[in-house]
Amino acid sequence: MDYPFDGSQTILRYTVVDEKMSAKENRENFSKMKELLNKVGVYFNIIDGTLILKVSPASSGVGQSQYEKITKRGAGRKANAIIHPGCKNTEGEPVLIHYSDIVYMRQKMHDYDIYKYIGISEATYYRKKRIMLESNYYQSLDISRLNDLEYLRNSGIPDPLF
């Protein structure tokens, strides 16, 4: 089973005893094992008879840890921003659809009409809608003000792209 790495530091500590029959082999392989695990982002060491294994999140808080870079495949097509049909801003560039636009549309339109209007597949729409409904943005909204587009766009939490 693949467990998601939530970004927090994960540490295991075990007390180890070196078997006399394996002592020489353990000394020879310890540095190899430490180097191999370090390459994939796992800290490995024995201090005072305690084996320590540690996977740390990204050091700067931005990007991925070494462990995530190795274990995550990055497969699949990257998501494209959805463009508002027929709308252009003052510079003539297309207008992107945000969560606020979808929440506002949901007050007046059915899901079928929304995904046909914005030109995405049904499966994509429902997948993105589920993510939106679970987001901090949507959870923080005042349910009584969902018909107010200005409120939805300026609710105090960044309005992510749909």
Side-chain angles (χ1 to χ4, degrees):
M1 176 181 259
D2 185 27
Y3 292 98
F5 185 64
D6 64 359
S8 62
Q9 195 172 57
T10 306
I11 301 174
L12 290 176
R13 292 183 178 91
Y14 290 102
T15 303
V16 293
V17 178
D18 211 6
E19 294 180 358
K20 294 188 189 299
M21 294 176 20
S22 306
K24 181 180 176 195
E25 185 178 337
N26 286 348
R27 278 193 303 275
E28 292 171 358
N29 291 328
F30 178 78
S31 61
K32 290 179 189 176
M33 183 65 72
K34 187 173 181 176
E35 184 179 329
L36 289 170
L37 290 172
N38 191 37
K39 285 182 182 178
V40 296
V42 177
Y43 172 79
F44 172 80
N45 206 356
I46 297 177
I47 300 173
D48 297 330
T50 302
L51 170 68
I52 301 171
L53 292 166
K54 176 170 58 172
V55 178
S56 296
S59 58
S60 65
V62 178
Q64 294 179 314
S65 70
Q66 181 66 17
Y67 175 79
E68 288 173 312
K69 287 178 186 174
I70 298 294
T71 59
K72 303 293 180 197
R73 292 178 45 221
R77 189 183 71 171
K78 302 304 177 226
N80 293 327
I82 300 171
I83 298 171
H84 213 297
C87 294
K88 304 253 186 236
N89 65 13
T90 55
E91 291 85 33
E93 296 173 359
V95 176
L96 302 178
I97 294 185
H98 290 80
Y99 281 2
S100 59
D101 300 318
I102 299 298
V103 172
Y104 185 71
M105 282 187 233
R106 287 185 67 222
Q107 305 312 305
K108 299 181 184 333
M109 301 168 70
H110 294 286
D111 287 337
Y112 172 83
D113 298 324
I114 296 172
Y115 68 76
K116 288 295 182 189
Y117 175 72
I118 62 178
I120 62 174
S121 73
E122 180 180 6
T124 300
Y125 172 77
Y126 283 110
R127 184 179 62 251
K128 288 178 172 264
K129 177 185 167 188
R130 184 189 45 167
I131 293 167
M132 177 188 74
L133 294 176
E134 295 170 354
S135 72
N136 289 337
Y137 169 80
Y138 189 80
Q139 299 293 323
S140 70
L141 293 176
D142 179 7
I143 302 301
S144 65
R145 297 183 68 188
L146 296 183
N147 284 322
D148 182 4
L149 188 57
E150 285 303 313
Y151 164 73
L152 294 173
R153 289 189 175 155
N154 303 314
S155 64
I157 292 182
D159 186 9
L161 290 173
F162 188 73

